């Protein structure tokens, strides 16, 4: 990992340095980086792959050696604030939401600046799309104690409130935690109801981990109804276009099956509808769910929700 960090440091140094010193010799640049000439040329070759598939050198950075001198052209330097479409801004905001737990108030400041650079006519569209983003990843406080209870196989007690009824005391053998459509659930055997039940964590009160141990049955997970399970738990077959194929091949290796048109096909776990739809949609139009039908329908619903139709 230290080698990776060192290489990244060199790459981040290279572009601004050459931009400020156009025509710097290969020897001088290698000396500034404290690496050999051969290693420098290898790093320059890597920088030509910065961009999006199929990694055309002029997409973002055009860096080259001419007569043993190094030059860089940054045609897309941000001399002025970027002008984003509502869709581009919403995608950036969605990615930023994943960092909220680590950034706190800094994220809100960045999102405010992001909204300010959107053309005025598109701002309301951006706000509408951003309000639909569900990517905070915030977990309820009960998640920690319940995780420990599951691992240590200890029963838990809590008050459970259902709509229109006061909280009722429950004693439960916790089997599994899951997240679906932004909600966290506990699956387990309820002594009060003498049945396998599903509980929403946000409806629990006064949660306590007891000292009563239990042994879960072998089919504990299958015993409990699970909104994220069913037909979708089988593997999901996804096809990628030739444009996205290089990335998919690098990530999945031999598990990526080549297709005649230059694309690839992979199978991924389908036990989380939310993860699957977010992952597939992150490729834009370069990924398509082939089967099962339930997974295709889930992605279609996510698309319709994102465009407000």
């Amino acid at each position: 990992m230290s080698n990776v960090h060192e290489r990244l440091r060199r790459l981040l140094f290279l572009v601004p340095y050459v931009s400020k010193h156009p025509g710097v010799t290969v020897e001088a640049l290698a000396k500034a980086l404290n690496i050999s000439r051969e290693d420098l040329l290898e790093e320059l070759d890597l920088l030509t792959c910065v961009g999006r598939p199929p990694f055309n050198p002029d997409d973002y950075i055009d860096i080259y050696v001419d007569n043993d001198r190094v030059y860089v052209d940054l045609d897309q330097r941000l001399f002025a604030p970027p002008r984003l479409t509502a869709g581009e801004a919403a995608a950036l905001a969605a990615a930023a939401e994943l960092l909220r737990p680590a950034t706190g108030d800094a994220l809100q400041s960045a999102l405010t600046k992001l909204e300010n650079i959107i053309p005025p006519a598109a701002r309301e569209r951006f706000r509408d799309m951003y309000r639909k983003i569900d990517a905070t990843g915030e977990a309820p406080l009960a998640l920690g104690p319940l995780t420990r209870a599951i691992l240590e196989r200890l029963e838990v007690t809590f008050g459970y409130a259902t709509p229109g009824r006061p909280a009722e005391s429950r004693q439960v053998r916790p089997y599994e935690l899951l997240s679906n459509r932004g909600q966290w659930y506990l699956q387990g055997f309820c002594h009060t109801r003498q049945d396998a039940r599903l509980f929403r964590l946000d409806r629990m009160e006064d949660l306590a981990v007891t000292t009563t141990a239990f042994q879960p049955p072998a089919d504990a997970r299958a015993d409990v109804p699970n909104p994220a399970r069913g037909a979708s738990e089988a593997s999901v077959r996804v096809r990628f276009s030739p444009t996205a194929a290089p990335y998919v091949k690098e990530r999945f290796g031999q598990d990526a099956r080549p297709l005649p048109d230059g694309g690839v096909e992979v199978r991924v776990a389908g036990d989380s509808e939310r993860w699957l739809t977010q992952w597939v949609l992150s490729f834009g139009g370069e990924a398509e769910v082939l089967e099962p039908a339930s997974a295709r329908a889930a992605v279609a619903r996510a698309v319709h929700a994102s465009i407000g139709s």
Side-chain angles (χ1 to χ4, degrees), residues 69-85:
R69 292 183 177 274
V70 186
Y71 301 87
V72 62
D73 291 331
L74 301 175
D75 295 331
Q76 299 190 33
R77 276 177 290 188
L78 302 180
F79 292 109
R83 308 293 283 179
L84 303 176
T85 66

Side-chain angles (χ1 to χ4, degrees), residues 26-284:
V26 172
E27 296 299 333
L29 185 55
K31 184 177 180 180
L33 288 167
N34 194 30
I35 60 176
S36 68
R37 175 189 177 91
E38 291 72 20
D39 287 342
L40 172 61
L41 295 177
E42 184 178 341
E43 302 291 40
L44 295 177
D45 285 341
L46 177 61
L47 281 171
T48 64
C49 294
V50 173
R52 56 189 175 192
F55 303 113
N56 295 321
D58 59 348
D59 274 350
Y60 293 101
I61 300 173
D62 188 8
I63 190 163
Y64 56 94
V65 179
D66 185 14
N67 291 326
D68 214 42
R69 292 183 177 274
V70 186
Y71 301 87
V72 62
D73 291 331
L74 301 175
D75 295 331
Q76 299 190 33
R77 276 177 290 188
L78 302 180
F79 292 109
R83 308 293 283 179
L84 303 176
T85 66
E88 290 170 337
L92 186 58
E97 279 289 349
L98 298 175
L99 302 176
R100 184 178 291 277
T103 57
D105 294 340
L107 175 61
Q108 191 57 51
S109 175
L111 291 174
T112 300
K113 294 177 181 178
L114 174 63
E115 183 173 335
N116 290 337
I117 66 173
I118 301 172
R123 287 179 186 169
E124 187 55 39
R125 177 66 171 157
F126 163 74
R127 296 189 188 106
D128 182 59
M129 295 176 73
Y130 177 58
R131 281 193 292 267
K132 296 178 180 179
I133 295 172
D134 180 16
T136 58
E138 295 179 358
L141 294 177
L143 197 61
L146 287 173
T147 300
R148 180 172 69 87
I150 292 172
L151 293 175
E152 298 180 7
R153 298 177 177 178
L154 297 175
E155 293 186 357
V156 296
T157 60
F158 53 83
Y160 192 68
T162 55
R165 297 180 181 179
E168 181 182 12
S169 179
R170 301 292 183 99
Q171 184 167 348
V172 175
R173 294 179 175 181
Y175 292 158
E176 181 186 13
L177 286 165
L178 64 108
S179 176
N180 182 61
R181 296 184 179 275
Q183 290 288 350
W184 279 94
Y185 297 84
L186 169 70
Q187 300 179 38
F189 180 84
C190 178
H191 288 289
T192 306
R193 293 287 185 264
Q194 286 295 301
D195 193 11
R197 292 297 174 106
L198 187 69
F199 303 95
R200 278 178 47 165
L201 268 63
D202 62 338
R203 293 179 179 172
M204 294 181 181
E205 301 176 359
D206 303 320
L207 172 68
V209 179
T210 73
T211 57
T212 304
F214 69 94
Q215 184 65 35
D219 58 349
R221 295 180 73 242
D223 252 357
V224 187
N226 185 330
R229 199 179 288 140
S232 64
E233 188 169 16
S235 63
V236 176
R237 191 158 61 99
V238 186
R239 178 173 61 198
F240 294 88
S241 71
T243 300
Y247 165 79
V248 179
K249 288 178 182 177
E250 181 177 350
R251 176 172 179 182
F252 288 88
Q254 295 181 349
D255 292 332
R257 185 173 72 85
L259 299 176
D261 65 352
V264 295
E265 181 182 300
V266 299
R267 286 187 176 272
V268 296
D271 57 345
S272 172
E273 179 183 298
R274 183 182 178 194
W275 172 85
L276 177 69
T277 54
Q278 289 181 343
W279 183 66
V280 170
L281 293 181
S282 71
F283 291 90

